[in-house]
Amino acid sequence: MKTLCSLFLSAILLVPATGIAKTISADTDNHRLYYTAPATIWEETLPLGNGRLGMMPDGGIYREHIVLNEISLWSGMEADYGNPDAARSLPAIQQLLFEGKNKEAQELMYSSFVPKKSDSGGTYGNYQMLADLNIDFHFPEGKSSAERDAASVTDYRRWLDLHDAVAYTSFTKAGTDYHREYFTSRDRDVMIIHLTASRRHSLSFSARLSRPERGVVSLLSEPSAEGDTPPSDGGVLLLQGTLDSGKPELEGMKYRVAMRLISREGEQHISATDGITLTQGREAWLVLSTTTSYSAAGTDFSGSRYEVVCDSLLNAIEQPDSRMKDSHIAAHRSLYDRVSLTLPATADDSLPTDERIIRFADHESPALAALYYNYGRYLLISSTRPGSLPPNLQGLWANGISTPWNGDYHTNINIQMNHWPLEQAALSELYQPLTTFIERLVPSGRDAARTFYGARAQGWVLHMMTNVWNYTAPGEHPSWGATNTGGAWLCAHLWEHYQYTQDLAYLERIYPILKGASEFFYSTMVQEPKHGWLVTAPTSSPENAFFVGDDPTPVSICMGPTMDVQLLTELYTHVIEAAFLLKCDTAYATELRKALEKFPPMQISREGYLQEWLEDYREQDVHHRHVSHLYGLHPGNLISPDATPELADVCRATLNRRGDGGTGWSRAWKINFWARLGDGDRAWKLFKSLLHPAVNSETKRHGSGTFPNLFCSHPPFQIDGNYGGAAGVGEMLLQSHEGFIHLLPALPESWSTGSFQGMKARGGISVALEWKAGRAVKATLTAALSGAFRVKMPAGASRTKAVVNGQSKIYTDKMISLSLSKGDTVILLFE
């Protein structure tokens, strides 16, 4: 007999042999990932997270493999990387740059301008997976061959509901319906796996915890004596360990995983060797709690109390029921439901997600962008929360001990890209982990400034990489590690949060961070000899290289690359404006204005593209994945078709020259570039490129693009592309970086009809919009704060009727100026 859940699944998910029956709405299609077979690689598994804990089930029938994560689990420790040789060599490095001897300057930096590491190394550490949970299932398949043949699996489905942050696996075997639910509770802060069978005595399994290294399994308590009525709680299985600190004499981070089985029926057994076993049950819950010994200001991690906190979270779950799942869903929806997006539907929307990605290359499917946007919001909600850490290169989902690029925080775009969709997607409170993360970096950044740049260096500095141990020194290879504007770029995000919230108390809190970052550059920038411009030196344009003259040696070290100039122009401007708003530091703001006048201008090369460096060097790689010199176009606001049309045209030429290829996150960035240039169809083309299947169907090798579970591939998986792609979808629909609200600034032709609700614009206002035949029809704006707002007349409209508090007004000018009080709603009808 079919269970209610199984009947429901059959109604909405069955794929008939003759094709796909579209039986559910496009909105439902674009709030779920679903598949008709278990995952065969990790990049097909379904990510769950509550901002601290992560879980990725593969939906295996006979063995389910679930990778567990905790966002603070790092090897290494805080350490001193100071190198006094760096400051001593700085004048010589700068002089070589003045003389055009970039290669010699780079060679000197390789020997002197690098971090000093301890003999044992390893203190930088890396983000690591927490544990493997393997569940082996045993099915009553019968004794005869006929009975075993009849026990084949049918109606297999696994899916992730983005709306609820719950994953499911469901199938029928030997006439019994099996159903599994998985979620990382947002309010109870534990991991839950709920297992059911439609027939009594049909649920039997063994669940074991393990880890590739540094993990010991034990029991917290012995199981109760067996009796006629098995106890619901047969004890707690523990996995514990201590990670490598990088210093043999010191202990590293400790962690604890505790797992309990709670069942309605059946018999339980527990042992450190075999794990927790249930035989002949019908319904069971695996409840897992985990903590680490990490602690840091501005976070809620338990530190030295990690064991007590882990056990208390576990013990708070006594008798699981549907209310626990409901409360988790409510907590998740309070964030996820703030924004909605509808784009034109097609029959492909009902395909399994992996098939949908494959067909997308050859079939127009606009609503896939809605799914990708929703997935980006889901991943952001799932990988960070107030009191936690910002999402790292993996978000929080790691599949091994050695994560790619240490699973750290790259500050030459990656951690920044992780936050691009945040404010527009109405997730403003999720900025808190990044804000406190930056605050913790400042003391280390002050030390790095003095150590590497000498006694005259003021303020604080951050180079191109960091970790949970407040690393701010240069990277170990100057060719990429010398970029020193990581802190300046992060300050742009601090400022962006202010732009959206207009919170003066917050601005007062972050002002010392902004000022300190500007002080570093104000005190260390030098005048280059050719024009007398103020420039950073030494530095690099992130990860790209060039040739000096006819020398075939690629070089990265330079003075004043374009990205540095753009970043520091914004940083100084923000500090000046903040000082004005806070009525402080008038004299210092005046000095910054004078310094800005000496910055190099953005220069156009002989071939008509925007120069990446101070000199018109020849690139080593014309198609390099970083397009750092277009920072001023996006995410910055120094270049736009309206304000700087010539530079905007130069950016088009630059992007055409760079090409549409690149790693996953690079393609995501280019979506945003073209959206800022107002070219929706080119942005859509880049979106299609981003969604190119990352797994080669023949060789099974991984390339750039998108994995079956929609994870972005660098390769390997790197989550910034997911966030950058989601931000790109938002930028195509709504922009506000130029001081006005721009509706449908880059609408692709295929997105002819649609709507969105709840998106935010700078200044503290919420925007909803409907459009038809490619033109805006109706916008609804609600002011969260009192203020003056400007809306650009949408393309194709010549007249707008605005209705506020029952009063209407007609606008025909290019700009619609509105003065709104907090809570006011204005309806704009476009003609």
Side-chain angles (χ1 to χ4, degrees):
M1 187 176 85
K2 296 281 185 184
T3 62
L4 178 61
C5 181
S6 182
L7 286 171
F8 173 74
L9 281 171
S10 298
I12 69 167
L13 292 176
L14 280 182
V15 183
T18 55
I20 299 297
K22 187 166 181 61
T23 57
I24 55 178
S25 72
D27 186 61
T28 301
D29 286 330
N30 298 310
H31 292 278
R32 67 177 176 116
L33 279 59
Y34 96 91
Y35 308 83
T36 58
T40 58
I41 58 174
W42 179 69
E43 293 85 358
E44 292 178 332
T45 62
L46 298 174
L48 296 159
N50 69 359
R52 181 179 77 87
L53 307 176
M55 176 167 60
M56 294 189 71
D58 69 4
I61 296 169
Y62 293 93
R63 166 173 282 193
E64 174 114 49
H65 179 214
I66 303 174
V67 181
L68 310 179
N69 296 108
E70 206 279 357
I71 198 171
S72 70
L73 190 63
W74 267 76
S75 62
M77 64 177 295
E78 197 149 359
D80 180 10
Y81 298 92
N83 182 356
D85 290 341
R88 287 195 289 265
S89 67
L90 184 59
I93 293 168
Q94 291 174 335
Q95 184 59 40
L96 289 169
L97 291 171
F98 292 162
E99 297 171 4
K101 299 177 180 178
N102 297 64
K103 182 174 73 171
E104 291 80 359
Q106 182 164 290
E107 290 171 350
L108 180 55
M109 289 188 71
Y110 268 103
S111 63
S112 64
F113 213 87
V114 291
K116 287 286 187 183
K117 296 183 177 181
S118 63
D119 293 337
S120 58
T123 53
Y124 185 87
N126 69 288
Y127 179 60
Q128 300 188 8
M129 65 169 286
L130 174 68
D132 290 303
L133 170 59
N134 286 302
I135 309 174
D136 290 304
F137 293 92
H138 310 284
F139 299 98
E141 295 182 310
K143 298 180 180 179
S144 69
S145 59
E147 289 175 318
R148 287 194 295 271
D149 290 342
S152 60
V153 173
T154 60
D155 297 341
Y156 181 93
R157 296 291 182 272
R158 64 184 179 94
W159 69 104
L160 169 62
D161 188 326
L162 305 180
H163 200 63
D164 294 346
V166 180
Y168 302 88
T169 298
S170 181
F171 56 89
T172 300
K173 187 172 177 58
T176 301
D177 299 326
Y178 293 94
H179 188 64
R180 307 171 193 166
E181 296 178 346
Y182 326 75
F183 60 96
T184 51
S185 174
R186 196 161 189 93
D187 58 327
R188 307 294 290 273
D189 208 16
V190 293
M191 307 181 204
I192 301 292
I193 302 166
H194 182 202
L195 309 161
T196 60
S198 61
R199 293 179 176 177
R200 296 188 64 187
H201 311 307
S202 296
L203 182 63
S204 298
F205 62 85
S206 297
R208 299 187 312 280
L209 291 169
S210 63
R211 196 170 190 273
E213 66 175 32
R214 297 178 179 271
V216 176
V217 178
S218 62
L219 301 182
L220 181 63
S221 62
E222 294 298 324
S224 303
E226 295 183 17
D228 294 334
T229 305
S232 64
D233 180 356
V236 174
L237 193 69
L238 295 179
L239 173 65
Q240 301 179 96
T242 302
L243 272 55
D244 179 21
S245 70
K247 291 187 177 181
E249 69 277 13
L250 296 174
E251 284 191 323
M253 190 183 298
K254 299 179 179 180
Y255 70 90
R256 182 181 181 95
V257 186
M259 179 171 69
R260 171 182 283 129
L261 171 63
I262 301 173
S263 60
R264 299 273 194 233
E265 300 176 5
E267 182 177 341
Q268 286 192 38
H269 294 277
I270 185 170
S271 76
T273 303
D274 299 327
I276 301 178
T277 299
L278 176 69
T279 56
Q280 296 189 345
R282 183 173 183 177
E283 183 176 21
W285 290 264
L286 287 169
V287 183
L288 295 96
S289 175
T290 183
T291 51
T292 75
S293 61
Y294 178 72
S295 65
T299 72
D300 297 333
F301 296 101
S302 49
S304 60
R305 299 183 61 253
Y306 75 101
E307 293 176 310
V308 173
V309 173
C310 177
D311 295 348
S312 65
L313 289 170
L314 183 71
N315 292 332
I317 311 299
E318 295 180 354
Q319 289 296 327
D321 56 29
S322 61
R323 290 174 297 179
M324 187 168 63
K325 176 183 170 185
D326 291 344
S327 64
H328 155 73
I329 291 173
H332 174 75
R333 286 187 180 180
S334 69
L335 298 167
Y336 186 84
D337 284 358
R338 294 177 183 177
V339 172
S340 66
L341 170 62
T342 301
L343 293 174
T346 67
D348 283 358
D349 298 352
S350 292
L351 286 168
T353 306
D354 49 348
E355 296 179 33
R356 195 172 174 185
I357 295 170
I358 293 170
R359 282 182 56 86
F360 184 53
D362 301 314
H363 296 77
E364 196 74 359
S365 182
L368 187 54
L371 172 61
Y372 200 86
Y373 180 76
N374 290 331
Y375 190 54
R377 294 189 301 116
Y378 167 85
L379 291 175
L380 194 49
I381 294 166
S382 301
S383 62
T384 192
R385 69 185 191 193
S388 187
L389 290 167
N392 57 49
L393 283 173
Q394 304 281 136
L396 58 69
W397 297 281
N399 188 34
I401 300 301
S402 298
T403 45
W405 300 282
N406 301 308
D408 67 5
Y409 299 95
H410 281 23
T411 58
N412 59 8
I413 188 172
N414 309 102
I415 186 175
Q416 292 91 346
M417 185 179 279
N418 285 359
H419 293 80
W420 284 356
L422 191 151
E423 290 287 359
Q424 192 193 69
L427 298 171
S428 191
E429 64 266 55
L430 298 189
Y431 246 127
Q432 184 273 339
L434 181 65
T435 302
T436 56
F437 185 77
I438 298 170
E439 288 175 331
R440 293 193 298 273
L441 290 172
V442 170
S444 173
R446 289 197 195 101
D447 293 340
R450 312 298 181 274
T451 301
F452 287 89
Y453 297 89
R456 68 189 179 94
Q458 303 298 308
W460 68 281
V461 66
L462 172 65
H463 293 81
M464 62 73 57
M465 54 192 275
T466 189
N467 57 15
V468 299
W469 308 120
N470 304 316
Y471 183 92
T472 55
E476 57 193 339
H477 296 290
S479 62
W480 48 262
T483 301
N484 60 11
T485 46
W489 195 333
L490 288 178
C491 283
H493 280 265
L494 295 178
W495 180 256
E496 179 181 65
H497 185 59
Y498 167 72
Q499 287 183 301
Y500 275 89
T501 63
Q502 301 292 297
D503 185 343
L504 282 174
Y506 165 80
L507 182 61
E508 188 171 12
R509 172 184 169 183
I510 65 166
Y511 176 72
I513 304 174
L514 303 181
K515 181 183 177 183
S518 71
E519 286 175 326
F520 169 75
F521 294 101
Y522 183 75
S523 63
T524 60
M525 291 176 78
V526 295
Q527 281 191 302
E528 53 82 34
K530 189 174 181 180
H531 302 94
W533 291 330
L534 280 176
V535 295
T536 49
T539 183
S540 64
S541 187
E543 303 185 40
N544 204 357
F546 54 89
F547 299 105
V548 179
D550 296 327
D551 192 326
T553 306
V555 177
S556 298
I557 298 304
C558 64
M559 299 184 293
T562 299
M563 186 192 74
D564 282 17
V565 177
Q566 294 169 341
L567 275 167
L568 299 186
T569 298
E570 285 195 347
L571 175 63
Y572 281 24
T573 302
H574 296 161
V575 172
I576 292 167
E577 185 172 349
F580 172 77
L581 292 168
L582 297 173
K583 298 179 174 60
C584 66
D585 287 334
T586 303
Y588 180 61
T590 300
E591 292 302 310
L592 291 184
R593 288 191 189 92
K594 293 178 181 178
L596 279 170
E597 294 174 358
K598 299 178 182 179
F599 277 18
M602 284 183 271
Q603 302 178 81
I604 302 172
S605 76
R606 293 183 298 273
E607 297 181 27
Y609 55 86
L610 192 66
Q611 276 187 206
E612 186 164 358
W613 295 277
L614 198 63
E615 301 291 336
D616 196 4
Y617 296 125
R618 178 170 55 94
E619 303 107 317
Q620 179 189 24
D621 180 4
V622 172
H623 306 297
H624 197 272
R625 61 192 177 278
H626 283 265
V627 199
S628 305
H629 49 314
L630 298 195
Y631 170 89
L633 174 63
H634 181 277
N637 62 356
L638 300 175
I639 303 171
S640 74
D642 281 346
T644 60
E646 182 183 8
L647 284 175
D649 288 340
V650 170
C651 288
R652 289 188 185 93
T654 305
L655 288 168
N656 285 326
R657 185 172 184 270
R658 209 64 146 195
D660 291 346
T663 59
W665 63 262
S666 178
R667 299 177 192 184
W669 197 1
K670 292 169 185 174
I671 297 170
N672 290 271
F673 285 141
W674 286 108
R676 286 283 176 94
L677 290 171
D679 192 334
D681 288 329
R682 187 64 176 271
W684 181 232
K685 178 184 176 185
L686 262 299
F687 182 84
K688 290 181 178 180
S689 176
L690 177 64
L691 270 288
H692 180 79
V695 181
N696 186 298
S697 59
E698 295 180 358
T699 66
K700 305 303 179 184
R701 295 185 63 180
H702 297 176
S704 298
T706 296
F707 286 114
N709 66 356
L710 285 185
F711 269 179
C712 186
S713 176
H714 181 283
F717 161 59
Q718 199 171 290
I719 203 167
D720 43 12
N722 286 101
Y723 297 135
V729 172
E731 287 283 342
M732 294 157 76
L733 298 171
L734 174 67
Q735 295 176 15
S736 61
H737 59 285
E738 294 188 82
F740 57 84
I741 296 169
H742 194 173
L743 303 170
L744 304 183
L747 190 71
E749 183 178 357
S750 64
W751 297 11
S752 57
T753 301
S755 65
F756 64 77
Q757 294 183 346
M759 289 189 186
K760 301 292 184 180
R762 292 166 179 82
I765 195 163
S766 177
V767 182
L769 181 68
E770 300 173 25
W771 68 93
K772 296 179 181 179
R775 294 186 178 186
V777 174
K778 176 183 178 182
T780 304
L781 282 62
T782 302
L785 304 165
S786 298
F789 302 91
R790 294 192 304 154
V791 181
K792 184 178 181 179
M793 187 78 74
S798 59
R799 185 174 182 270
T800 299
K801 179 180 180 181
V803 181
V804 185
N805 298 324
Q807 302 295 314
S808 63
K809 183 177 180 179
I810 301 299
Y811 293 88
T812 57
D813 293 337
K814 180 180 178 181
M815 284 292 172
I816 302 164
S817 297
L818 303 167
S819 181
L820 302 176
S821 299
K822 181 179 180 180
D824 278 354
T825 294
V826 56
I827 298 174
L828 302 177
L829 302 174
F830 305 110
E831 301 174 5

